[in-house]
Amino acid sequence: MKDVQYEWRAHRWSRWGPAHLVRRRNAIEVQLGDVVVGIDLTDRRPAAERQAAPYRSVFADGVPVTWNGEQVATVTTSSGGRTGLARRQQLAVTGDDRFVLPGLAFTHRALPLMLTLRSGAGSLVASRRWASPLNMAVTEWSIVREHDLVPPKVAREARPEHIALWLAVKEALAV
């Protein structure tokens, strides 16, 4: 437990909660009921390459996803398209069919942080447009240090592992 930077619980009152998130130096793990989803944010590039491009996202090379301890997927930056603070960026999710639904991908933008997890059937988990600035303010300036006062919009067909993955990727993008 020495490498734990912080942890928090949130969304106690949502139909799918509560969520318990643990942030380690190079990993994020989210527990939602019996499901534990983790992402490994280790930058595997050689030291010289990391120094030459220190702001390159780890998602460019792929971030492994574990589901209850088993690696099942990889989240990578989709090729093509310009990105920026206000432009949307795509993150593709590929891997085991038990975890990865057809067309599973993230869409996100930085200011304010808006993140959507979609599959071929439609949106599974998404930031609420009006709540993103509120959640950012509560997280940064609240005395009680509550995290995400307003839960994301979750479709009925969203499975707990996909909600946990959304929470983990959101935390990785917020830092």
Side-chain angles (χ1 to χ4, degrees), residues 16-130:
W16 46 266
H20 179 239
L21 182 137
V22 177
R23 172 69 192 230
R24 292 184 170 79
R25 188 170 150 254
N26 290 326
I28 298 173
E29 190 175 89
V30 177
Q31 182 175 1
L32 202 60
D34 299 344
V35 173
V36 178
V37 172
I39 58 175
D40 182 2
L41 300 170
T42 304
D43 192 345
R44 291 170 179 77
R45 298 177 295 155
E49 207 175 307
R50 284 194 308 263
Q51 289 173 349
Y55 298 109
R56 182 174 177 192
S57 172
V58 293
F59 290 103
D61 296 323
V63 171
V65 177
T66 59
W67 178 30
N68 295 331
E70 177 186 354
Q71 184 176 342
V72 292
T74 304
V75 180
T76 53
T77 305
S78 296
S79 60
R82 298 181 313 169
T83 61
L85 288 178
R87 291 190 174 102
R88 296 191 184 277
Q89 183 179 24
Q90 297 282 330
L91 299 172
V93 183
T94 56
D96 192 334
D97 290 340
R98 294 174 300 144
F99 184 84
V100 179
L101 301 174
L104 195 64
F106 286 97
T107 304
H108 79 90
R109 74 168 185 216
L111 291 174
L113 179 60
M114 301 281 289
L115 181 66
T116 303
L117 177 62
R118 288 187 171 87
S119 72
S123 180
L124 296 173
V125 186
S127 301
R128 295 178 190 270
R129 181 175 301 273
W130 60 270

Side-chain angles (χ1 to χ4, degrees), residues 16 30 32 117 125 152 154 158-168:
W16 46 266
V30 177
L32 202 60
L117 177 62
V125 186
V154 177
R159 300 188 324 223
E161 56 268 23
H162 296 129
I163 300 168
L165 176 63
W166 184 89
L167 289 165

